[in-house]
Amino acid sequence: LNQKDGLTEEDIISNIDKLVKLNIGQIILSGGEPLNRFETLINVLNYFSESNIEIWINTSGYNLTEEKIERLTHANLTGIIFSLDHYQEGGHDRFRGMKGSYQQVINSVEIANRYDLVTALSLCATNEFISQENLNRYVELARQLGVIFVQILEPKIVGKYEHTEHSLLSDKQAILETFYINNVRTKNSVNAVVVLMYQDYRKRQNGCIGGKKYIYVDADGKIYPCPFCKTSFSQFQHLDMDLSIKQMTCPSIST
């Protein structure tokens, strides 16, 4: 946070190329805000446009215009995961600390859908947000927007939440899990509204996929099993990546 980028465009392309050679099928470019380096983003997409990988971006929608979405489409972007942390405009804008950010997401989803990009929403489900009514309304908004899935993230004590007490309370976690389980049971029925992805629940049930089906590379090029692990395994520039990925296991994270 609040540091200059450590990776050049050439570094990013080189790192992704190593992952492509390991037959990794999906790359998600996140941040921070990946749209802040838009020309680099376009160049990366163009470089891998003939590769058999899906490339996504995870964004707040900041400064995303129709012109930019059109360029992303022509550069063969697979889809966009938009961070939307409330179904109400005021709730999301307060969470993001930026007035107008909610409407930016709504407008951008609608434009991206017109250009046939795959769209999804990412919700940081806080104690203050979680209730049956709020979850229902959020998923209904997702259905109206026409997104493919909603990714639910539990707040972690990292980033802006570091040194705070924002972990989910047990009763809130129970509400969220029940909501997710009920959605899974009905997702193949005519009453299903949208698919939910809730990796924290899956982790508690089946173990963490970090280092097995998923790895994370930070803005300095360090490789981790997942974004929330504290121990770096190595630097890409000095890495036998194939061996490092095989050796990775994600430590248990209480937060």
Side-chain angles (χ1 to χ4, degrees), residues 94-212:
R94 283 192 298 273
F95 186 90
R96 289 282 153 179
M98 183 177 295
K99 187 175 181 180
S101 58
Y102 173 90
Q103 199 57 51
Q104 175 73 73
V105 171
I106 301 302
N107 294 342
S108 296
V109 171
E110 292 173 350
I111 296 170
N113 284 339
R114 291 205 303 268
Y115 280 86
D116 292 327
L117 287 172
V118 181
T119 56
L121 299 180
S122 181
L123 166 68
C124 182
T126 63
N127 289 310
E128 294 76 17
F129 175 82
I130 294 173
S131 70
Q132 185 70 39
E133 179 181 3
N134 282 353
L135 292 167
N136 284 335
R137 290 192 176 188
Y138 187 97
V139 171
E140 175 58 21
L141 174 62
R143 186 194 65 79
Q144 292 174 8
L145 290 173
V147 302
I148 300 301
F149 64 87
V150 170
Q151 171 183 268
I152 299 174
L153 302 175
E154 294 182 6
K156 302 293 191 299
I157 311 303
V158 295
K160 72 176 184 178
Y161 282 161
E162 195 167 9
H163 309 304
T164 66
E165 295 296 332
H166 279 82
S167 298
L168 285 190
L169 300 173
S170 58
D171 60 328
K172 298 294 186 177
Q173 189 178 89
I175 292 172
L176 193 54
E177 289 190 355
T178 300
F179 182 80
Y180 170 72
I181 292 168
N182 290 338
N183 176 272
V184 169
R185 288 173 179 168
T186 62
K187 71 178 182 179
N188 294 321
S189 75
V190 294
N191 295 321
V193 287
V194 68
V195 173
L196 298 185
M197 296 175 60
Y198 182 13
Q199 191 55 48
D200 289 285
Y201 172 79
R202 290 294 185 183
K203 176 181 175 179
R204 287 190 285 272
Q205 297 297 309
N206 304 315
C208 184
I209 64 172
K212 301 171 186 176

Side-chain angles (χ1 to χ4, degrees), residues 50-65:
E50 301 299 322
S51 301
N52 293 322
I53 58 170
E54 295 182 356
I55 300 184
W56 297 66
I57 58 172
N58 197 333
T59 177
S60 66
Y62 178 68
N63 281 340
L64 186 57
T65 63

